[in-house]
Amino acid sequence: MKFGKEFASQMIPEWREAYMNYSYLKTLLKEILIFRQRQIMYPSPAKAPVKATSLKRKVSLFRAFSGLTSRYGNISPRKDEEDEVILVSAMQVADEEQGEEFRSYQTTFLRSAEEGGEFELVFFRQLDLEFNRVIQFYRGKVEEVVKQAEELNIQMDALIALRIKVNDPHATPPFINEKTTGAYPLEVIQEINTSGDGNEEEEEEKNRLDDRKGYKMASLEVLNHIKINATAETPRSTVRSVFHFGRSELHYNKKELKDAQEKLKLAFIEFHEKLRFLKSYSFLNQLAFSKIMKKYDKITSRNASDAYLKMVDESYLGQSDEVVKLIERVEAAFIKHFCNGNRHQGMDTLRPKAKRERHRITFFVGCFFGCSLALVVAIIALVHARDLLQHRSRTAYMNTIFPLYSLFGFVVLHILMYAANVYYWTRYRVNYSFIFGFKQGTELGFKEVLLLGSGLSVVTLAGILSNLEMDLDDRTQSYKALTELLPLGLVIVFLLITICPFNIFYRANRFFLLVCLWHCVCAPFYVVTLPDFFLADQFTSQVQLLRSLEFYVCYYGWGDYKKRDASKCIDSDIYKTIYIVVAVVPYWLRVLQCLRRLCEGKDSTQALNALKYFSIIVAVVARTIQTQMIDTDARYMTIKYIALATSIFATIFATYWDLVMDWGLLCRNSENPWLRDKLILPKRSIYFIAMVLNVLLRLAWMQTVLGFREAPFLHRNALVAIVASLEIIRRGLWNFFRLENEHLNNVGKFRAVKSVPLPFSHEDRQKDL
């Protein structure tokens, strides 16, 4: 792999714009190379061509960049120590925004008077801009983590004091015993003298004593100056905060200690990840500057890299060691205070291993897809061979068995759309695992998602085929009740696997899904995070799936499934009422989530977002009532016009919100007209096609309002399933661009780690603020 691609692949996605622009600098070097090769080919100005396009075709840039001898001359660098090419100087520059001074580096190119020197002058100016930008970003982030380390010191002091107070309620100030707490959590690690004079132990003891002289041991008195950060994250804390019963005083109990330890543990993990990102950022940029200067030497046959790389090594980027020291201190503190000194456990938590791609997953995905295709062919062949489309039991089958199995079809289609999303998010480096908050190493790749979808499709298609065979075989007529129970058995197995507590079938992801689902159901009592409202949005596109679940209860609870008759249940007023409620629930949950976010004061536009979902609720209720009415009803036309008006308003409102608010598009004066300034996909036409598709797929409700209840060649339930599938496809399209916009927002704010709320607040620091 070439360094440029490797450099881009190892970047932190959210900090991509803060890295050195290696590709642009490489482009400038190519311009220098083309000019110099033109000079070799056409030494006389009269013979020099006007354009270098034909020369580009003749000259192999790869050979030039790999240091090979080209047909036009040897371009390998010469080593001439006395031949000075550049002078590098540093100056103090004032930052008007922050009111501080920082060191800026400037390169003076001494050969600008030579022919073609203007190309090299442009290269060094751009190189200086990139280097100063990298140093400024790195310095700012280092200062930020140093401040965070100070705050974590205070938090650890409070945690240690609280731990002692809980374990020993009679403990009194002023100080905690050193044997109990150990060293200062993030203290400076003393370096041991290894000069070989035999006094290493004495030097170490001296350093330890000197360090203790300036260090005040953690005191129980710190508990008198801190309070618990009471955040309304659970239903109980939310209710207490609404009625102003929230408490911030310490009660010195084990639950309080456990909550504080969990929060601080998460804070340490995120802080350590940020430090690792900074270390990687420093290393990759230094390596990139080294590579680009060596390429410059190779192309120009000069020796400028030594002077420039010496400046890079002596700069803040090369000399700063705060990040490395902080990593060592954080690891030592985390292992001691959160892992009982178990280094292996601590390092596995702080530095989880990268996922390894397993070839057996690829094998099973191909195997399941092949089986699914074979089963589809078998079903089609059976339908045509037995002429089931004209069979007398066709209507009963479509009214009962088809809705039962269509539930699995909706799930499989949604899984496949999510697999496509994951594939393209990964391809275009959208950090979906960070956005969703997956624990590192537990996120599912597109192959794992495809494995789940293809496996479920095999089981579903096998159930359909066996159901058809048992219906048509006279020998199995005595087992008709068992035949009808097959879809119910599949649902039960599916639910049992979902809630299975054992570490099988991606337990971490199933638990994450169940937690998000519980947060959706209990809205607005939980803090609304992106995974919560993202999952709720998925359910707004799975209304027909929820109605299929209702039909399961109806068919197996109230209906006579032994005779394949559900008319008794479907025609009841209770079923029709629940049919409407089921469709409203997902949108109502989104309304509650929007109101929760509005009350938290995070986003004032959530009031309009709640209004959007409420308008959809009105439209859905009107359309559902219309479908349940007969054409001869006197109120039918009135309800039809109401459904049409509310649907048009809701569609326009929702489409505008999709394109402008969720996708961030339709910016008239952006760098990409009618899109947005930053785009991830290479072709702008894809965004316009996606916008048109989103509008067209949102108009699927027209078949309900206009009365297309049953096509000549399609049963009504088949038409409903097709419309529901179109909405799932639209949701998959929406998912990609919604997360793309969220990723670009994180990139714009350089937000690469999660912000974890700390357990304690210090009164003195609050006064300072």
Side-chain angles (χ1 to χ4, degrees):
M1 181 184 293
K2 293 184 178 180
F3 175 75
K5 293 183 178 180
E6 185 178 0
F7 180 61
S9 66
Q10 294 186 15
M11 289 180 182
I12 291 100
E14 289 76 14
W15 292 356
R16 191 180 189 88
E17 295 183 357
Y19 282 84
M20 181 188 108
N21 196 340
Y22 183 83
S23 59
Y24 180 63
L25 290 173
K26 191 175 177 180
T27 302
L28 296 179
L29 287 182
K30 288 182 179 180
E31 294 178 359
I32 297 173
L33 172 65
I34 292 173
F35 177 82
R36 294 176 70 85
Q37 290 176 340
R38 185 174 57 182
Q39 291 300 108
I40 296 174
M41 291 181 61
Y42 305 98
S44 175
K47 296 181 181 180
V50 178
K51 295 183 180 180
T53 54
S54 60
L55 180 63
K56 292 181 181 179
R57 299 189 186 100
K58 295 179 181 179
V59 180
S60 173
L61 293 179
F62 172 75
R63 292 180 64 190
F65 271 78
S66 61
L68 299 177
T69 302
S70 69
R71 57 181 290 190
Y72 305 106
N74 193 332
I75 57 174
S76 60
R78 65 176 181 268
K79 300 298 180 180
D80 189 356
E81 298 295 338
E82 298 178 359
D83 187 15
E84 276 192 312
V85 180
I86 59 173
L87 290 177
V88 183
S89 58
M91 61 184 72
Q92 294 295 120
V93 179
D95 189 349
E96 296 180 357
E97 296 182 358
Q98 299 182 359
E100 299 177 355
E101 290 188 353
F102 62 92
R103 177 170 291 185
S104 176
Y105 294 89
Q106 183 176 356
T107 304
T108 303
F109 181 57
L110 303 178
R111 303 299 179 86
S112 58
E114 295 182 1
E115 190 173 4
E118 63 273 11
F119 292 100
E120 298 178 53
L121 187 62
V122 170
F123 169 76
F124 279 108
R125 286 180 179 175
Q126 183 64 33
L127 189 66
D128 289 340
L129 288 175
E130 297 293 334
F131 185 67
N132 288 320
R133 181 170 58 84
V134 167
I135 286 185
Q136 189 174 359
F137 177 83
Y138 183 70
R139 186 191 301 273
K141 287 296 180 182
V142 170
E143 293 175 355
E144 185 179 317
V145 296
V146 169
K147 291 180 181 178
Q148 291 178 358
E150 295 175 356
E151 178 62 32
L152 286 177
N153 275 329
I154 297 174
Q155 296 288 323
M156 281 303 301
D157 279 342
L159 178 66
I160 294 172
L162 179 62
R163 185 181 295 170
I164 297 301
K165 187 68 175 178
V166 171
N167 294 333
D168 185 8
H170 302 290
T172 57
F175 302 113
I176 301 172
N177 192 336
E178 180 183 352
K179 294 181 180 179
T180 306
T181 62
Y184 184 48
L186 299 181
E187 67 178 341
V188 177
I189 299 176
Q190 301 291 336
E191 296 182 2
I192 301 175
N193 183 7
T194 58
S195 58
D197 54 3
N199 296 324
E200 288 87 357
E201 295 181 1
E202 295 180 5
E203 189 68 24
E204 182 181 3
E205 180 67 14
K206 180 180 178 181
N207 290 336
R208 189 182 67 82
L209 293 175
D210 290 341
D211 184 65
R212 286 289 178 262
K213 290 179 182 178
Y215 169 61
K216 181 179 179 181
M217 293 300 296
S219 171
L220 285 178
E221 292 181 352
V222 72
L223 298 176
N224 298 327
H225 302 283
I226 64 170
K227 293 183 178 180
I228 292 290
N229 283 330
T231 55
E233 297 180 350
T234 61
R236 182 179 180 183
S237 60
T238 300
V239 173
R240 293 179 67 91
S241 63
V242 169
F243 293 99
H244 304 287
F245 293 151
R247 61 179 181 84
S248 59
E249 301 296 333
L250 290 170
H251 286 67
Y252 309 114
N253 53 49
K254 291 186 177 181
K255 183 180 182 303
E256 198 171 57
L257 175 62
K258 182 180 179 181
D259 293 341
Q261 287 182 159
E262 289 297 326
K263 288 184 178 180
L264 202 51
K265 182 179 180 179
L266 292 176
F268 264 81
I269 293 173
E270 294 299 323
F271 183 63
H272 185 269
E273 185 177 21
K274 188 173 184 179
L275 292 174
R276 288 191 292 112
F277 285 168
L278 275 175
K279 184 179 179 181
S280 172
Y281 176 84
S282 173
F283 171 76
L284 283 178
N285 279 288
Q286 291 183 69
L287 184 60
F289 281 110
S290 174
K291 290 287 186 180
I292 204 69
M293 285 306 301
K294 289 180 180 178
K295 286 184 180 294
Y296 170 82
D297 284 355
K298 189 177 296 185
I299 289 173
T300 61
S301 301
R302 304 188 190 278
N303 188 24
S305 60
D306 292 342
Y308 201 89
L309 295 180
K310 181 180 179 183
M311 178 269 294
V312 173
D313 292 337
E314 294 177 353
S315 66
Y316 185 81
L317 188 67
Q319 293 295 319
S320 175
D321 60 349
E322 287 96 336
V323 173
V324 176
K325 289 183 178 180
L326 277 175
I327 289 177
E328 295 175 355
R329 298 170 203 166
V330 168
E331 290 175 354
F334 186 86
I335 291 169
K336 180 168 187 176
H337 296 284
F338 297 103
C339 299
N340 295 324
N342 189 334
R343 181 172 180 80
H344 180 73
Q345 177 187 353
M347 297 308 295
D348 283 347
T349 305
L350 291 175
R351 298 186 180 184
K353 297 179 181 179
K355 289 181 63 178
R356 293 187 302 174
E357 185 175 356
R358 299 178 178 178
H359 297 290
R360 66 172 177 266
I361 293 179
T362 307
F363 169 78
F364 280 114
V365 168
C367 181
F368 287 154
F369 268 107
C371 293
S372 299
L373 183 61
L375 288 170
V376 169
V377 173
I379 292 173
I380 295 175
L382 181 63
V383 169
H384 283 278
R386 303 292 181 91
D387 198 17
L388 297 181
L389 294 178
Q390 305 299 327
H391 199 270
R392 64 180 183 275
S393 62
R394 169 180 176 269
T395 303
Y397 185 90
M398 293 300 296
N399 286 334
T400 55
I401 302 301
F402 182 83
L404 297 177
Y405 281 111
S406 63
L407 179 144
F408 298 99
F410 298 143
V411 174
V412 170
L413 179 60
H414 213 133
I415 292 176
L416 295 180
M417 293 303 300
Y418 180 70
N421 290 149
V422 172
Y423 172 78
Y424 285 105
W425 287 333
T426 305
R427 179 176 178 180
Y428 294 105
R429 294 183 60 78
V430 175
N431 197 356
Y432 70 96
S433 60
F434 168 70
I435 295 174
F436 285 137
F438 293 137
K439 186 178 178 182
Q440 189 174 0
T442 62
E443 69 278 3
L444 295 181
F446 76 97
K447 291 183 180 180
E448 288 89 349
V449 180
L450 284 177
L451 179 65
L452 296 175
S454 59
L456 182 59
S457 67
V458 169
V459 175
T460 303
L461 292 172
I464 295 174
L465 183 61
S466 61
N467 201 296
L468 288 174
E469 285 287 353
M470 294 175 73
D471 278 346
L472 299 174
D473 194 342
D474 295 334
R475 293 173 297 178
T476 60
Q477 291 301 312
S478 59
Y479 303 102
K480 195 169 185 62
L482 182 62
T483 305
E484 299 299 313
L485 289 175
L486 188 59
L488 180 62
L490 292 179
V491 171
I492 294 174
V493 172
F494 180 78
L495 293 177
L496 289 177
I497 292 176
T498 304
I499 63 175
C500 177
F502 303 110
N503 191 16
I504 56 175
F505 296 110
Y506 307 111
R507 182 180 63 177
N509 300 92
R510 290 188 287 105
F511 180 76
F512 182 86
L513 176 65
L514 292 175
V515 169
C516 292
L517 181 61
W518 178 250
H519 288 178
C520 293
V521 173
C522 296
F525 296 108
Y526 282 97
V527 174
V528 181
T529 59
L530 187 142
D532 298 336
F533 69 75
F534 191 87
L535 180 61
D537 278 326
Q538 307 308 303
F539 279 109
T540 59
S541 296
Q542 285 285 12
V543 170
Q544 200 56 41
L545 180 144
L546 298 177
R547 285 173 170 172
S548 296
L549 287 176
E550 178 197 4
F551 183 76
Y552 267 88
V553 178
C554 166
Y555 186 63
Y556 290 107
W558 298 341
D560 191 355
Y561 66 89
K562 295 181 180 180
K563 297 181 180 180
R564 194 171 285 181
D565 183 17
S567 58
K568 178 181 178 182
C569 167
I570 295 177
D571 295 337
S572 65
D573 293 335
I574 297 177
Y575 179 85
K576 293 180 179 180
T577 303
I578 298 177
Y579 195 78
I580 298 175
V581 173
V582 166
V584 169
V585 167
Y587 299 102
W588 180 245
L589 294 179
R590 285 297 287 124
V591 171
L592 295 178
Q593 289 178 338
C594 293
L595 294 177
R596 170 64 188 252
R597 297 181 69 186
L598 178 65
C599 294
E600 290 176 350
K602 292 183 178 180
D603 190 358
S604 58
T605 60
Q606 292 303 315
L608 291 175
N609 201 12
L611 180 62
K612 177 195 75 174
Y613 286 107
F614 186 78
S615 67
I616 296 177
I617 289 175
V618 176
V620 168
V621 170
R623 293 203 301 263
T624 307
I625 292 176
Q626 179 202 355
T627 58
Q628 294 177 350
M629 298 176 66
I630 58 177
D631 299 347
T632 57
D633 196 314
R635 298 172 299 172
Y636 178 78
M637 293 305 298
T638 303
I639 297 298
K640 181 176 181 179
Y641 289 136
I642 293 175
L644 181 62
T646 55
S647 296
I648 291 175
F649 176 79
T651 300
I652 295 175
F653 198 170
T655 302
Y656 171 82
W657 198 273
D658 286 345
L659 303 181
V660 177
M661 304 302 293
D662 291 338
W663 294 2
L665 302 177
L666 294 181
C667 298
R668 182 177 180 181
N669 298 321
S670 64
E671 296 179 3
N672 303 288
W674 296 107
L675 297 177
R676 62 170 108 86
D677 291 338
K678 299 176 183 177
L679 302 175
I680 288 182
L681 298 180
K683 295 183 180 179
R684 291 185 295 179
S685 59
I686 298 177
Y687 292 90
F688 292 105
I689 294 173
M691 287 191 286
V692 173
L693 285 177
N694 185 73
V695 174
L696 293 178
L697 293 175
R698 270 202 177 273
L699 297 179
W701 53 267
M702 290 180 62
Q703 61 85 23
T704 305
V705 179
L706 298 180
F708 299 144
R709 300 184 181 182
E710 187 170 356
F713 54 90
L714 281 178
H715 190 271
R716 179 179 181 276
N717 287 336
L719 185 62
V720 170
I722 292 174
V723 173
S725 299
L726 292 177
E727 171 59 22
I728 294 173
I729 294 173
R730 188 200 69 82
R731 179 58 61 182
L733 187 71
W734 179 90
N735 289 345
F736 176 83
F737 293 100
R738 176 65 182 89
L739 243 67
E740 180 205 25
N741 189 35
E742 185 70 21
H743 173 74
L744 291 176
N745 290 334
N746 292 337
V747 171
K749 299 176 182 178
F750 300 107
R751 186 168 50 203
V753 294
K754 294 182 291 185
S755 57
V756 180
L758 297 174
F760 307 108
S761 59
H762 201 278
E763 294 179 353
D764 295 338
R765 293 181 67 86
Q766 288 182 346
K767 292 178 181 179
D768 295 338
L769 296 176

